[in-house]
Amino acid sequence: MRIVLLGAPGSGKGTQAKKLMADKNIPQVSTGDMLREAVASGTRFGLKAKSVMDAGDLVPDEVVLGIISERLSQPDAADGFILDGFPRTTQQAMDLRELLDQLGTPLDTAVLMDVDFDILMKRLTGRRTCSLTGKLLNVHFSSRDELDECTKAGGELIQREDDNEETIANRLEVYRENTEPLIDYYAKRGKLTTINAEGTIDEVYDRLLEALG
Ligand code: AMP
């Protein structure tokens, strides 16, 4: 199974990719996660990427392509992968197509995760990660018990640096301008499936599985 999860920031791509990865035993390939790792490692490249990411802008296409081509040629991606946060521009989609053509493994489908704007905002502004377990939580949607479980065990609820309101507004604008055209790109190629990505994580996951057949 080789799929792209397409959708605005906060549409739940990462959450659903992780569930699918555990279920189907194929890797989640998240350019955002890989870039955050580079930032955390403190390399010169990481420092450059950090300023772009903190502003909510896009890292240059050729940089992301380099990261992706290296990742997709790893043995664990040979039987499939879930692309999360890539492609984000038409150029990246064309690069991906070329790369997969070279590998002889074309994409099966791009799943658009459709979420209303107001819900996106709540998901993004409320998003937190437990510093102890890495569990993704949300101060608007997670239960008190789930949030307490982290803090009572001595963990902190960490907010991503680019989840502040100003950066969120820019990320959504960048999505509209650069990434939304990919909906048409994949529709024209007969590769697009759209799911309603509102509701609980499990409800969305059921719809995702159904869409993937
Ligand atoms: P994400 O975790 O997918 O929301 O990505 C966080 C940030 O990483 C984005 O706001 C961009 O700055 C950068 N990024 C992630 N994926 C890409 C990509 N495919 N192209 C360009 N920049 C990206």
Side-chain angles (χ1 to χ4, degrees):
M1 181 189 288
R2 291 178 292 274
I3 65 169
V4 164
L5 291 184
L6 203 59
S11 58
K13 301 184 297 292
T15 302
Q16 296 299 326
K18 284 191 180 67
K19 272 180 88 71
L20 203 56
M21 169 168 74
D23 240 16
K24 305 280 179 193
N25 208 21
I26 48 173
Q28 167 202 18
V29 175
S30 157
T31 40
D33 284 350
M34 289 189 281
L35 287 165
R36 276 184 288 278
E37 276 165 28
V39 170
S41 70
T43 57
R44 255 205 2 233
F45 161 71
L47 284 178
K48 243 164 80 184
K50 183 177 181 341
S51 59
V52 175
M53 293 167 76
D54 284 351
D57 291 327
L58 294 182
V59 171
D61 288 336
E62 62 277 12
V63 171
V64 195
L65 177 67
I67 295 177
I68 277 286
S69 35
E70 199 177 304
R71 181 65 188 88
L72 294 187
S73 53
Q74 303 284 316
D76 68 331
D79 292 334
F81 47 78
I82 307 145
L83 288 176
D84 157 15
F86 178 92
R88 258 178 157 96
T89 64
T90 307
Q91 183 61 51
Q92 290 180 14
M94 293 190 302
D95 289 341
L96 174 66
R97 191 173 178 199
E98 203 177 308
L99 177 68
L100 294 181
D101 276 352
Q102 279 166 14
L103 296 170
T105 53
L107 197 70
D108 295 315
T109 185
V111 181
L112 172 65
M113 302 187 47
D114 195 26
V115 178
D116 179 77
F117 182 80
D118 292 345
I119 296 181
L120 285 181
M121 282 306 274
K122 270 188 138 176
R123 284 191 183 169
L124 289 165
T125 53
R127 180 157 68 179
R128 302 288 185 279
T129 306
C130 176
S131 62
L132 274 185
T133 59
K135 188 170 174 183
L136 274 179
L137 298 161
N138 190 299
V139 294
H140 302 305
F141 300 117
S142 302
S143 68
R144 191 71 257 163
D145 282 354
E146 275 184 303
L147 297 169
D148 286 351
E149 193 183 308
C150 175
T151 48
K152 283 190 179 147
E156 274 181 75
L157 297 172
I158 309 278
Q159 187 170 27
R160 257 173 61 168
E161 284 196 34
D162 58 354
D163 275 347
N164 62 75
E165 294 218 5
E166 195 186 333
T167 307
I168 288 171
N170 189 43
R171 286 163 64 206
L172 291 171
E173 189 50 39
V174 165
Y175 171 77
R176 242 180 241 132
E177 205 171 296
N178 299 277
T179 313
E180 235 170 36
L182 295 184
I183 299 173
D184 241 25
Y185 176 94
Y186 285 115
K188 279 191 183 127
R189 285 162 181 79
K191 299 251 184 204
L192 188 78
T193 314
T194 303
I195 63 166
N196 169 4
E198 293 179 8
T200 67
I201 292 172
D202 288 339
E203 281 165 358
V204 176
Y205 188 62
D206 285 346
R207 291 182 209 128
L208 176 62
L209 286 183
E210 204 181 322
L212 294 174

